Amino acid sequence: MKEYGVTRVPAIAVDGKLLNCCTNIEITKEDLVNAGIGSC
């Protein structure tokens, strides 16, 4: 996945290139904590 630059799933690559809708949208640990994941 790293060779395509995937930072989240689902992600779609066509002909070895990640589609624009799947780029530059990274989910960070901070995003998950702010959503309440891992707080239980």
Side-chain angles (χ1 to χ4, degrees):
M1 290 183 13
K2 288 185 180 185
E3 67 262 17
Y4 292 108
V6 174
T7 57
R8 68 180 180 98
V9 290
I12 302 168
V14 176
D15 295 328
K17 184 178 178 187
L18 196 61
L19 297 183
N20 288 337
C21 63
C22 299
T23 60
N24 298 324
I25 303 172
E26 185 174 358
I27 298 173
T28 65
K29 180 180 177 182
E30 184 177 290
D31 293 331
L32 297 175
V33 170
N34 289 339
I37 296 175
S39 62
C40 293

